[in-house]
Amino acid sequence: AQKVTQAQTEISVVEKEDVTLDCVYETRDTTYYLFWYKQPPSGELVFLIRRNSFDEQNEISGRYSWNFQKSTSSFNFTITASQVVDSAVYFCALSRRQGGSEKLVFGKGTKLTVNP
Amino acid sequence: DSGVTQTPKHLITATGQRVTLRCSPRSGDLSVYWYQQSLDQGLQFLIQYYNGEERAKGNILERFSAQQFPDLHSELNLSSLELGDSALYFCASSATSGSTDEQFFGPGTRLTVL
């Protein structure tokens, strides 16, 4: 089975706190891609990052960082010094192969609320 | 702004009716994907078209169909609507045929079936 699990349904933090959003995936593919998308209250989905299965280097982009660990099938997302504008639902996704085509499978999402 | 446009933004209709959702991909993108987001099912992939041809199929009901036209815009047709079809429908586009590409999402069409 190929699936993405975001165990944290909702997280609430106070501004300037660091917060980590967990993502655990299952796949039998040796080559796959992982993604994070952000859905702010306005509703659109915004791409944050894509990582392929051969690149286990952690990535940092400003206040955002991602920790990819194949050994634990996890691709966690950390926001440092959170801000109110970070309030959104964050989705982790996995590209999977089925019948020769590729499909994107999303987790259920984690709703992050950053309070002032 | 992702460059992907969807119309209409909101749609309210009754059970048993048929509706058409429209999507224009980003300039130059050949793939169009349709997703359904509902409270109980989450974000689910429905179908993908690449350069006019169906490329991949997900959890799309038989009452739903889609197509991609020569100008690359796409339409998702939903028929015999049921209350459970109420959801946010997203269109996304990418440059090539693989879902490993970054996908750019439109603002969505919120469908309410009464």
Side-chain angles (χ1 to χ4, degrees), chain A residues 32-33 35 37 39 42-47 50 89 91 95-96 98 100-108, chain B residues 33 35 37 40-43 45 48 55-58 88 90 97-107:
Chain A
Y32 53 89
Y33 283 75
F35 302 78
Y37 280 87
Q39 187 175 36
S42 53
E44 76 276 18
L45 280 157
V46 179
F47 167 84
R50 176 184 64 182
V89 180
F91 292 94
S95 75
R96 57 180 287 211
Q98 184 174 19
S101 62
E102 297 166 350
K103 302 177 183 180
L104 202 55
V105 176
F106 284 86
K108 294 288 187 185
Chain B
Y33 308 78
Y35 293 87
Q37 185 178 30
D40 52 345
Q41 297 292 328
L43 197 55
F45 167 72
Q48 177 200 357
R55 174 78 178 181
K57 218 165 185 176
L88 190 53
F90 284 106
S97 60
S99 70
T100 54
D101 286 346
E102 172 186 350
Q103 293 182 24
F104 296 88
F105 282 77

Side-chain angles (χ1 to χ4, degrees), chain B residues 25-53:
Chain B
R26 284 189 331 153
S27 177
D29 283 358
L30 298 178
S31 272
V32 169
Y33 308 78
W34 286 98
Y35 293 87
Q36 179 194 60
Q37 185 178 30
S38 61
L39 281 174
D40 52 345
Q41 297 292 328
L43 197 55
Q44 287 202 99
F45 167 72
L46 295 179
I47 197 164
Q48 177 200 357
Y49 277 81
Y50 173 71
N51 206 19
E53 300 288 326

Side-chain angles (χ1 to χ4, degrees), chain A residues 45-61:
Chain A
L45 280 157
V46 179
F47 167 84
L48 295 178
I49 189 171
R50 176 184 64 182
R51 176 54 51 85
N52 76 54
S53 52
F54 296 107
D55 182 3
E56 289 193 69
Q57 278 192 331
N58 291 332
E59 181 154 342
I60 298 175
S61 176

